Amino acid sequence: MNKIVVGNLKMNLTLNEIKEYVEKMQEINKENVIIFPTNIFIPFFLNKDYNIGIQNICSEDRGSYTGEVSARQTNSLGIKYILVGHSERRKNNNETDKKINKKIKLANKYNLNPILCIGETKKENKLGMTKMVLKKQINNALKDNKLNKIIIAYEPIWSIGTGNIPSKKEIERIILYIKNYVKKIHKIEDVKVLYGGSINKNNIEYIKRIAGLDGVLVGKASTNYSEFIDIINLYLK
Ligand code: PGA
């Protein structure tokens, strides 16, 4: 797979907006575009030329868990990707390292490709703790999980939704660190690293020049179909 563009719609857009969004996205016929709609709208996105993913799965395999969706159910719908460890879920939904680890295990069991989100806070960044934080998040997520490929999204928490992005050099340094570390310590040969945080159509050309980057994860700007289509075309052309 070439470079990847991920759109995370989070809890945005209502039925009519989704219908319009899906219609406009028809022109996107690239399998390396992955859209993560809000769960209830997933059926509108099925059987398209682009891929879709689920924003979250339950950390339990099956059973009585009201409001949850399992990896097995996700697989049965033909979905191929899941987001794991997004900082919003780590912060608001008790997405602990232990749960993240279990979710990756289930993803593996049911043939879903996890996109593991990792990132440091502003304070950790200022204190020079970034690599240490990322290393811990990676280790806890991948421990005892036998994977032969993984997509990791580097998303500095201080960059998500703020308009601030690290320098190109800084992102390049982190990408290299993540790739080397995961290959060496976790013996995963196929490691792709995405960047996420405040990406929009104005900075996508800048992001595109980052060496070693395998793709981008777009939040807010992906909820506007015309901006998202611009981002996809600019990044993948
Ligand atoms: P943002 O979100 O593009 O709105 O900063 C990115 C994310 O949360 O993955």
Side-chain angles (χ1 to χ4, degrees):
M1 197 188 248
N2 301 326
K3 296 209 185 245
I4 303 167
V5 178
V6 177
N8 178 10
L9 301 183
K10 305 188 182 182
M11 201 174 70
N12 296 298
L13 308 180
T14 55
L15 177 62
N16 287 337
E17 291 163 339
I18 283 288
K19 284 183 178 164
E20 195 183 350
Y21 191 98
V22 171
E23 200 193 308
K24 303 287 181 187
M25 289 302 290
Q26 302 256 43
E27 66 176 88
I28 298 300
N29 56 359
K30 297 182 163 75
E31 60 158 341
N32 41 346
V33 171
I34 312 167
I35 300 178
F36 288 78
T38 313
N39 277 359
I40 56 169
F41 296 126
I42 284 178
F44 291 94
F45 291 83
L46 292 171
N47 305 317
K48 302 283 185 266
D49 290 333
Y50 50 82
N51 264 294
I52 59 161
I54 190 160
Q55 292 176 19
N56 177 47
I57 56 159
C58 184
S59 56
E60 299 301 322
D61 198 329
R62 59 178 88 185
S64 304
Y65 297 95
T66 301
E68 297 285 340
V69 176
S70 74
R72 188 163 164 260
Q73 292 173 311
T74 303
N75 168 289
S76 74
L77 208 57
I79 293 174
K80 303 232 169 58
Y81 295 89
I82 63 159
L83 276 185
V84 193
H86 192 283
S87 63
E88 286 156 9
R89 292 199 57 85
R90 289 186 196 252
K91 182 166 168 248
N92 305 323
N93 303 85
N94 193 27
E95 179 120 325
T96 59
D97 279 339
K98 197 168 166 204
K99 282 191 190 164
I100 291 168
N101 184 283
K102 284 170 85 174
K103 289 178 186 189
I104 292 179
K105 195 160 280 134
L106 288 167
N108 202 18
K109 178 172 176 187
Y110 292 107
N111 262 322
L112 306 168
N113 299 291
I115 299 182
L116 169 65
C117 302
I118 59 174
E120 82 286 2
T121 62
K122 182 89 219 165
K123 192 173 166 200
E124 288 161 344
N125 184 283
K126 282 233 152 81
L127 290 171
M129 294 164 64
T130 301
K131 283 186 182 170
M132 204 186 83
V133 171
L134 301 181
K135 185 168 127 177
K136 186 162 168 255
Q137 290 174 341
I138 290 170
N139 287 344
N140 288 339
L142 300 185
K143 187 170 162 255
D144 301 327
N145 277 329
K146 292 207 169 353
L147 306 175
N148 48 30
K149 60 178 177 179
I150 182 91
I151 303 172
I152 295 182
Y154 171 53
E155 301 204 292
I157 295 167
W158 52 274
S159 174
I160 296 176
T162 62
N164 303 319
I165 50 175
S167 71
K168 184 168 157 284
K169 241 186 163 162
E170 180 64 10
I171 301 176
E172 283 171 353
R173 196 173 67 92
I174 298 296
I175 293 170
L176 199 64
Y177 173 73
I178 294 172
K179 286 191 179 174
N180 287 341
Y181 186 80
V182 174
K183 283 181 189 173
K184 188 165 164 227
I185 304 298
H186 294 280
K187 311 280 180 235
I188 304 176
E189 265 313 304
D190 186 356
V191 187
K192 289 194 169 35
V193 178
L194 317 182
Y195 168 78
S198 293
I199 291 178
N200 57 43
K201 70 173 181 197
N202 299 320
N203 59 27
I204 192 68
E205 295 278 12
Y206 174 78
I207 301 283
K208 196 176 167 177
R209 292 197 294 272
I210 295 172
L213 192 64
D214 298 300
V216 290
L217 202 165
V218 187
K220 181 126 196 304
S222 74
T223 64
N224 176 324
Y225 58 77
S226 93
E227 177 160 14
F228 193 43
I229 290 170
D230 283 349
I231 292 172
I232 292 167
N233 289 334
L234 288 167
Y235 191 70
L236 297 180
K237 83 171 176 237

